[in-house]
Amino acid sequence: MENQWKSLAEKELKNTSVGSLDWQTTDGISLSPLYTTTPSSETSFPGIPPYTRGVRATMYTNRPWTIRQYAGFSSAEATNAFYHECLRDGQTALSVAFDLATHRGYDSDHRRVAGDVGKAGVAIDTVEDIKRLFDGIPLDKMSVSMTMNGAVIPIMAFYIVAAEEQGVSQDKLSGTLQNDILKEFLVRNTFIYPPNFSMRIVGDIIAYCAKTIPRFNPISISGYHMHEAGATPAQELAYTLADGLEYVRAALKMGLEIDEFAPRLSFFFGIGMDFFSEVAKLRAARTLWYELMGQFNPTNPQSLMLRTHCQTSGVSLTYQDPLNNVIRTTIEAMAAVFGGTQSLHTNSYDEALGLPTQQSSRVARHTQLIIAEETNISKVVDPLGGSYYVESLTQALIDKARAYMAEIEELGGMTKAIQLGIPKRRIEEAAAERQIRLDNQEDIIVGVNKYQSDSQPTVEILEIDTDAVRGQQLENLATIKKQRDQTVVDKCLMELQEAAKGKANLLEAAIKAARARATLGEISLALEDVFGRYQAPVKTLTGVWQRAMTDDPNFKELKDQIKQFATENGRQPRILLTKLGQDGHDRGIKIIATAFADAGFDVDLAPLFLTPGEAAKQAIENDVHVVGISSLAAGHKTLIPSLIEELKKAGADDIKVICGGILPPQDHQYLLDAGVTALFTPGSSLLDVVRKTLAVI
């Protein structure tokens, strides 16, 4: 009877249109509409090597994952008040978001950060800011995660000194420092120093924590930002683990034993909308890390376990119909839970429009509480284990990731591969291909490229007054500098520079400077004087859009229009694409650059981190027709009008200015009144962006 039913099912599948039985994931994994076997007959158990089913035998049946919402905005006082509300409302740990000025090692009074202070994170200049940030929060009882990479030395030093002055010794501190600089060179770009010196910093922090702060995780190896930059699940998996392997080797070279630090390594993955691929990705990650760490012969089983934090995707959130983002975040959160995460952050539904409000943050936080408390999902360990499909997909991702990691090893490891630009290019190609599939409706986003609405719900957006926050930070800085002993500060900074020139531990030297009230900018500059400040090479990806659109009549028509423009004007239309301020997230601008170049524009892609004046100067020198600005970090109302004003002052107001990215609807008219010619919101098709830009020149 069983064979008869199987025969009938197979016959129905062959005759149905669900068909396109050759459907593939973004990693090129061919999927069948029906799975009846698994890749292996072996039985595995949670808490037992290779930990595919989870790092603990009981997983959530003992206690749920940690709810660790990533938050920070405006001043330390405002963020502290928000933290207290979150903790009262069910959050179980803290995760700090720093503003971009802090990430890049600048004090709030630096000329390069006028539009960045307090936006997209909390402004931190001194130990006193950290003390205000955690006022009333006992640091010996609260686990704290800090997403910091570039200015990681002063931030960790401030945290340690703030705890001391709260009466908490270092051995009582628990939490996680991101401290993952390799992925900054790969996708996120909030670096300060060149790669080799940055790796020295990572190693010094791992060594210091191993000996002095045993309960603290000195590094969180992050795939999240690769995910957000467009990496496929297998790419995120492979490159994250390859980064981890590089850090392990760096720590071993410093003379540490594997079991001294490996149990405190942690990971951080992004979770998108391909539900089963995300579940399988976390299961595959644990299996692969067990294999990788086995080569170092640890004796502590925890050295072999991959423990991870997860965050739902920001890229998957849509500007259109933002309330539907609640559903997307719920699906992604459930994927992380089914995959076996140790802690989780759920994004707010309004983050495609601007910074989250208290209301949207509460919805995001309670999404996790509802999953944990109402669904009974946590009552069974790895409930999808044994699923024919999930087991097959897990193995397929393991195989794909192994191939990517083999390529990295052949290049000499992740540092070398990043210097050669290989993984960065692979991710950029994947991101461009994803956008093309969306434009062609091969992939569907409801409300964006299908089932669109003519109206958009009105959603309250959090507004940060940068001028007010910056003004307060400048007052605080002035007070600190007036009260401190400058002779002691200078001596500590000199000792930090000597440590940088030699082999002394940098974090240990920075702690002394922090106690003397040296600022974040001063500590960062002391290291910069020895190490230098890194400037990433500017490269434009071309050909990806052209190959996909060759036979598209609308694309052909657009290319003809651009050729006609060139004939009539004696040259191609020319665009400068730039980001302003300290935001390094360049996924969107790289995709846009690909589209303009493939359509026939002359494209100048500006270096990252320009001021409005520097961008205006480059636009004039390059004789462009239009400047395109990508804005993601909420600084648009300060930075974009400043650029337009700089163009006017130079007599170049004939150069058009367009912008796109995270631009709240209520700010559109403000930007248009300031002189912006065209606005493009998330989800705009590449064809429309290029066509409308050509029309305004």
Side-chain angles (χ1 to χ4, degrees):
M1 181 64 72
E2 182 179 340
N3 288 337
Q4 182 181 354
W5 282 114
K6 182 179 178 183
S7 176
L8 285 170
E10 289 173 345
K11 182 178 179 181
E12 183 178 346
L13 280 169
K14 286 178 182 176
N15 294 331
T16 187
S17 64
V18 171
S20 36
L21 304 178
D22 326 337
W23 195 82
Q24 292 186 333
T25 69
T26 54
D27 281 305
I29 297 170
S30 295
L31 298 184
S32 166
L34 177 66
Y35 286 81
T36 57
T37 60
T38 61
S40 170
S41 60
E42 294 179 14
T43 302
S44 63
F45 293 91
I48 293 177
Y51 306 110
T52 308
R53 302 195 65 189
V55 293
R56 296 284 182 266
T58 56
M59 288 301 288
Y60 310 138
T61 62
N62 185 34
R63 70 179 180 88
W65 59 94
T66 300
I67 298 174
R68 190 186 293 277
Q69 290 296 95
Y70 178 58
F73 57 91
S74 183
S75 65
E77 292 90 343
T79 303
N80 173 263
F82 183 71
Y83 285 167
H84 279 285
E85 179 182 340
C86 292
L87 293 171
R88 286 193 299 269
D89 211 19
Q91 188 169 312
T92 54
L94 296 178
S95 182
V96 184
F98 298 96
D99 73 0
L100 291 169
T102 304
H103 271 289
R104 294 272 292 147
Y106 294 119
D107 287 335
S108 298
D109 58 0
H110 198 282
R111 69 177 186 85
R112 304 195 73 85
V113 300
D116 295 307
V117 177
K119 292 285 182 76
V122 61
I124 300 294
D125 293 321
T126 70
V127 168
E128 297 303 321
D129 287 326
I130 291 287
K131 289 173 69 175
R132 285 188 284 267
L133 184 66
F134 296 120
D135 184 39
I137 297 172
L139 294 178
D140 55 342
K141 295 180 175 62
M142 183 58 59
S143 174
V144 175
S145 173
M146 294 183 286
T147 299
M148 176 53 64
N149 303 281
V152 67
I153 285 286
I155 285 295
M156 191 63 184
F158 291 171
Y159 172 69
I160 289 168
V161 173
E164 284 178 358
E165 297 182 6
Q166 199 186 81
V168 178
S169 60
Q170 295 182 40
D171 62 318
K172 299 292 195 301
L173 296 173
S174 66
T176 302
L177 187 65
Q178 190 160 99
N179 193 28
D180 174 10
I181 201 63
L182 287 176
K183 66 95 175 45
E184 299 297 328
F185 295 107
L186 190 58
V187 289
R188 190 164 174 255
N189 300 312
T190 55
F191 42 68
I192 300 177
Y193 315 108
N196 56 331
F197 296 116
S198 296
M199 285 295 288
R200 153 95 185 272
I201 290 170
V202 171
D204 277 7
I205 291 172
I206 292 174
Y208 184 92
C209 290
K211 290 180 170 55
T212 313
I213 319 180
R215 296 175 57 202
F216 206 88
N217 301 325
I219 188 167
S220 174
I221 304 142
S222 175
Y224 180 83
H225 303 95
M226 300 179 204
H227 178 281
E228 296 295 274
T232 66
Q235 287 172 339
E236 180 188 359
L237 183 57
Y239 296 151
T240 304
L241 298 185
D243 280 352
L245 187 58
E246 197 84 342
Y247 295 130
V248 168
R249 288 169 174 161
L252 292 173
K253 284 180 182 176
M254 296 183 70
L256 293 174
E257 296 294 329
I258 188 71
D259 287 327
E260 284 187 88
F261 65 90
R264 303 311 303 180
L265 300 179
S266 66
F267 287 81
F268 174 25
F269 288 101
I271 304 294
M273 284 296 290
D274 189 346
F275 182 86
F276 288 103
S277 287
E278 299 297 350
V279 173
K281 180 177 74 182
L282 298 186
R283 302 173 92 250
R286 290 190 289 272
T287 307
L288 287 165
W289 188 244
Y290 171 78
E291 292 176 1
L292 289 171
M293 293 302 286
Q295 66 186 289
F296 302 109
N297 301 312
T299 58
N300 185 344
Q302 293 194 28
S303 295
L304 299 161
M305 296 177 184
L306 181 144
R307 296 164 301 110
T308 190
H309 171 71
C310 289
Q311 180 173 339
T312 60
S313 175
V315 170
S316 69
L317 302 178
T318 68
Y319 178 92
Q320 302 83 354
D321 292 331
L323 292 178
N324 284 337
N325 292 331
V326 176
I327 307 303
R328 294 185 174 94
T329 294
T330 303
I331 291 168
E332 292 168 349
M334 290 180 69
V337 170
F338 277 123
T341 189
Q342 277 60 67
S343 65
L344 179 61
H345 166 93
T346 33
N347 284 339
S348 301
Y349 62 79
D350 52 359
E351 290 188 52
L353 291 83
L355 298 172
T357 62
Q358 288 194 349
Q359 179 192 37
S360 67
S361 297
R362 189 173 190 272
V363 170
R365 187 165 57 252
H366 278 211
T367 298
Q368 293 195 52
L369 292 171
I370 290 167
I371 295 171
E373 304 284 351
E374 297 187 25
T375 64
N376 289 331
I377 286 173
S378 62
K379 304 301 183 186
V380 176
V381 179
D382 189 29
L384 295 183
S387 156
Y388 296 140
Y389 177 35
V390 170
E391 298 294 353
S392 297
L393 194 51
T394 298
Q395 187 59 51
L397 279 172
I398 288 171
D399 294 339
K400 284 280 183 181
R402 279 178 181 149
Y404 281 120
M405 286 190 287
E407 179 184 46
I408 298 300
E409 287 296 287
E410 288 170 9
L411 294 170
M414 199 55 165
T415 302
K416 182 66 174 175
I418 287 173
Q419 290 170 344
L420 294 172
I422 303 300
K424 188 177 185 70
R425 182 175 181 83
R426 297 263 186 275
I427 292 172
E428 288 175 356
E429 287 173 346
E433 288 164 0
R434 163 71 168 161
Q435 185 61 48
I436 291 162
R437 289 196 305 275
L438 291 172
D439 286 353
N440 293 338
Q441 288 195 336
E442 295 168 27
D443 291 350
I444 300 300
I445 298 180
V446 173
V448 177
N449 64 351
K450 195 174 184 180
Y451 311 115
Q452 297 97 329
S453 172
D454 292 332
S455 61
Q456 182 177 342
T458 301
V459 176
E460 178 190 356
I461 301 298
L462 180 66
E463 181 80 25
I464 302 295
D465 187 341
T466 300
D467 291 339
V469 177
R470 191 166 188 252
Q472 185 60 57
Q473 290 300 114
L474 265 58
E475 284 185 28
N476 295 341
L477 276 166
T479 299
I480 289 289
K481 289 180 179 180
K482 183 178 179 180
Q483 294 175 345
R484 70 188 186 180
D485 187 327
Q486 190 63 43
T487 303
V488 175
V489 172
D490 291 342
K491 181 175 181 292
C492 289
L493 292 174
M494 185 73 70
E495 289 176 359
L496 178 59
Q497 286 192 326
E498 290 304 311
K501 293 172 184 175
K503 294 185 178 181
N505 191 284
L506 295 173
L507 179 54
E508 193 171 325
I511 290 169
K512 294 178 182 178
R515 289 189 185 113
R517 289 329 190 244
T519 70
L520 176 133
E522 290 169 338
I523 292 172
S524 298
L525 183 60
L527 294 175
E528 183 182 336
D529 285 344
V530 178
F531 296 156
R533 183 172 278 267
Y534 182 71
Q535 180 65 57
V538 180
K539 294 182 181 178
T540 305
L541 183 69
T542 58
V544 178
W545 198 45
Q546 166 114 7
R547 287 193 297 273
M549 302 292 286
T550 300
D551 298 325
D552 186 294
N554 293 318
F555 181 67
K556 290 180 180 178
E557 180 184 358
L558 177 59
K559 285 184 72 73
D560 288 342
Q561 291 172 353
I562 291 171
K563 288 178 183 175
Q564 183 180 351
F565 179 97
T567 301
E568 293 174 355
N569 293 273
R571 64 182 181 120
Q572 302 298 114
R574 192 176 187 94
I575 185 169
L576 172 69
L577 291 170
T578 184
K579 297 181 69 68
L580 300 175
Q582 299 304 305
D583 176 24
H585 294 82
D586 60 355
R587 171 186 185 269
I589 202 167
K590 289 288 185 70
I591 292 172
I592 293 297
T594 297
F596 275 104
D598 286 357
F601 269 67
D602 281 340
V603 177
D604 295 318
L605 187 59
L608 290 169
F609 313 125
L610 295 187
T611 63
E614 289 166 343
K617 183 172 182 289
Q618 184 167 339
I620 294 166
E621 290 175 350
N622 292 6
D623 194 21
V624 303
H625 296 96
V626 61
V627 177
I629 303 166
S630 171
S631 179
L632 295 175
H636 52 277
K637 290 177 70 174
T638 300
L639 297 170
I640 295 174
S642 293
L643 179 135
I644 293 170
E645 188 59 35
E646 292 288 343
L647 290 173
K648 286 180 180 176
K649 284 196 297 186
D653 49 353
D654 58 321
I655 296 176
K656 308 296 183 183
V657 174
I658 63 172
C659 61
I662 306 300
L663 304 168
Q666 58 265 44
D667 293 346
H668 289 190
Q669 193 58 51
Y670 176 91
L671 293 171
L672 293 170
D673 291 344
V676 170
T677 308
L679 289 160
F680 299 100
T681 56
S684 300
S685 79
L686 297 178
L687 202 63
D688 282 347
V689 171
V690 179
R691 184 190 293 121
K692 290 176 181 178
T693 301
L694 181 66
V696 303
I697 296 177

